[in-house]
Amino acid sequence: MSAQMKLGAFLMPTGHHIAAWRHPQAAADAGINVDHMIAIARTAERGLFDLVFFEDAAGVREARVELASQAARSIGFEPISLLAALAANTQNVGLVATASSSYNEPYALARAFATLDLVSGGRAGWNLVTSASEIEAANFGAQGLRAHRDRYAKASEFADVVARLWDPANRTGTIAHEGESFMVAQGLGIPASPQGAPVVVQAGSSDVGRDLAARTADVVFVATQTFDAAKAFYDDVKARVKAAGRNPDHLKIMPGVSPVVARTREEAQAKFDELQALIPDEVGLALLASYLATDALDGLPLDGPMPDLKASEGMQSRQQLVIDQSRREGLSIRQVAQHFAGARGHWRLIGTAADIADELEAWFTGGACDGFNVMPAFFPGELDSFVDLVIPELQRRGLFRTAYEGSTLRANLGLATPG
């Protein structure tokens, strides 16, 4: 059988579009409605997705209250706790959550994910991130945001400690780690799950982020908007994996994609246009400025060009992606903000199931990815549309499974079992 793509369902309470909460079909309380979350996880499992994924930020994402109240992303469960509820209400789909290496301790995090992995029968995954927000830093007594390279140095040690704690040989006894940032004496005292250890996901695209992923990750999430950029990233990271002494097939690279799909192109475009019309200028601009970690857009004419931006200590790869797109397509600040609000810099597709499948197939068969992290514009409607329309089309082409290969996340992703 030819290779088949892997799919993650990136679950956001009301949807990935910044104005999704204003859509007539949206559940206004989605972020704190566990039944809603269970329902969309079950929909992903019905679609045979490899995993569901939740991001996280330890703070309100927008400092200005009048804007935070319009974005909906500021309200939501702590994801590891939520995944425990989803584990009890699903059987096969993987369960992945973000937890920052900046404001956690490796022992506590390793213990929480190892427990989730055990109670779910081997379906847990950890998305390792470094926190890039001044708002988060202020919630943990930090004196401002750590420099980008310092954050990744700490993350590298953090990942090494967690890997040792999850090693089946170290589950009891001592590990005696004494490093630059952490000291850990004992093993977890928790037996390994059927998959051996939780899957490690990484999402950094900077040079140090790529190195960390190549050395420690099983899955990489990335934001790319063109085939050439995706192919270059794929080839570079796979080469780094090989240089690190690992099998490149044991790292799955899954770019984010935000599809709006319908039975006709006209209907799909109308669905997207309806969402775009719901974005207030100030909300779109605030989201863009937040991700770029800049106040350089304040007071500039919205119909003018994007200014040159100084490199920040925030999400450097995302900043460069936005700048490159604005130059490539000649977009104004308003146009960049509106585009960014639709998928936060990720690849966006609008069309029929065949249109969407054509694009996904071209990237996959062209060697630009191992699959995709699907980011529906709003829930539950767009996830239902993808499962009901796009999944059958991918299956018809032999590009996606018709049944789960195994009962663990590693088995379904085709990853080796540690130990």
Side-chain angles (χ1 to χ4, degrees):
M1 183 179 66
S2 59
Q4 294 184 326
M5 64 180 63
K6 306 303 178 184
L7 293 179
F10 190 163
L11 303 188
M12 190 79 73
T14 55
H16 285 272
H17 194 284
I18 195 64
W21 70 279
R22 301 181 71 191
H23 192 278
Q25 295 180 23
D29 67 343
I32 51 171
N33 185 331
V34 69
D35 291 332
H36 167 81
M37 292 299 184
I38 290 169
I40 58 178
R42 285 175 168 170
T43 298
E45 187 166 74
R46 176 170 65 84
L48 304 176
F49 276 74
D50 290 82
L51 58 92
V52 295
F53 165 63
F54 290 92
E55 68 162 2
D56 191 35
V60 176
R61 295 171 188 274
E62 174 51 61
R64 287 172 285 181
V65 174
E66 71 277 10
L67 296 181
S69 65
Q70 297 187 60
R73 298 192 313 133
S74 297
I75 301 171
F77 292 116
E78 186 282 313
I80 304 177
S81 304
L82 174 61
L83 290 182
L86 300 189
N89 287 278
T90 55
Q91 292 183 317
N92 295 100
V93 71
L95 306 164
V96 180
T98 292
S100 172
S101 61
S102 300
Y103 307 120
N104 282 291
E105 290 291 326
Y107 188 92
L109 182 145
R111 186 171 182 238
F113 275 101
T115 299
L116 176 65
D117 200 32
L118 198 59
V119 301
S120 66
R123 294 187 284 138
W126 167 40
N127 180 42
L128 187 170
V129 302
T130 69
S131 295
S133 163
E134 295 280 3
I135 295 172
E136 289 180 273
N139 284 340
F140 290 87
Q143 299 301 308
L145 188 63
R146 279 177 176 248
H148 185 270
R149 183 162 291 276
D150 291 345
R151 294 201 308 271
Y152 272 93
K154 183 179 179 182
S156 182
E157 182 184 347
F158 195 114
D160 287 343
V161 176
V162 170
R164 290 183 64 190
L165 288 167
W166 284 345
D167 187 325
N170 295 334
R171 291 292 179 131
T172 59
T174 62
I175 68 167
H177 173 84
E178 295 187 19
E180 184 74 21
S181 298
F182 305 107
M183 293 181 63
V184 179
Q186 296 181 320
L188 294 177
I190 299 173
S193 79
Q195 72 169 353
V199 166
V200 176
V201 181
Q202 223 271 314
S205 298
S206 65
D207 190 64
V208 291
R210 296 181 192 205
D211 277 342
L212 179 62
R215 192 172 63 81
T216 67
D218 301 301
V219 175
V220 170
F221 294 152
V222 61
T224 47
Q225 294 183 346
T226 67
F227 173 86
D228 289 344
K231 175 67 172 169
F233 179 87
Y234 185 90
D235 290 345
D236 178 66
V237 173
K238 292 284 187 172
R240 296 184 194 222
V241 174
K242 187 174 182 179
R246 300 177 59 202
N247 182 344
D249 290 339
H250 291 170
L251 180 72
K252 306 300 181 182
I253 297 177
M254 301 169 66
V257 58
S258 186
V260 177
V261 61
R263 297 191 182 278
T264 68
R265 292 176 182 173
E266 293 75 17
E267 182 185 350
Q269 188 63 51
K271 288 167 69 175
F272 181 72
D273 291 345
E274 180 182 12
L275 282 166
Q276 289 295 91
L278 296 175
I279 308 171
D281 280 341
E282 62 271 20
V283 173
L285 189 64
L287 177 72
L288 179 62
S290 174
Y291 266 79
L292 299 183
T294 184
D295 57 7
L297 306 181
D298 292 352
L300 294 179
L302 293 183
D303 291 320
M306 282 286 292
D308 291 328
L309 299 175
K310 295 184 296 184
S312 76
E313 292 297 345
M315 302 175 69
Q316 294 180 355
S317 59
R318 194 66 58 90
Q319 182 185 57
Q320 192 61 49
L321 181 149
V322 169
I323 292 170
D324 289 347
Q325 184 192 20
S326 70
R327 301 288 185 261
R328 185 176 65 247
E329 301 179 20
L331 302 179
S332 68
I333 293 174
R334 176 184 279 110
Q335 289 171 323
V336 172
Q338 287 222 327
H339 188 281
F340 196 78
R344 301 188 311 286
H346 288 272
W347 191 30
R348 188 172 65 204
L349 295 175
I350 304 167
T352 65
D355 293 333
I356 305 297
D358 285 346
E359 296 287 346
L360 301 184
E361 181 175 9
W363 280 36
F364 178 66
T365 60
C369 64
D370 296 305
F372 300 93
N373 200 21
V374 179
M375 305 166 57
F378 66 91
F379 291 105
E382 278 307 297
L383 181 60
D384 288 328
S385 295
F386 191 91
V387 168
D388 293 336
L389 299 176
V390 180
I391 292 293
E393 181 64 20
L394 294 174
Q395 291 170 330
R396 185 183 68 78
R397 301 180 187 201
L399 293 169
F400 191 61
R401 65 170 61 90
T402 56
Y404 281 110
E405 292 86 356
S407 60
T408 70
L409 179 54
R410 287 184 182 276
N412 291 320
L413 287 171
L415 298 173
T417 300

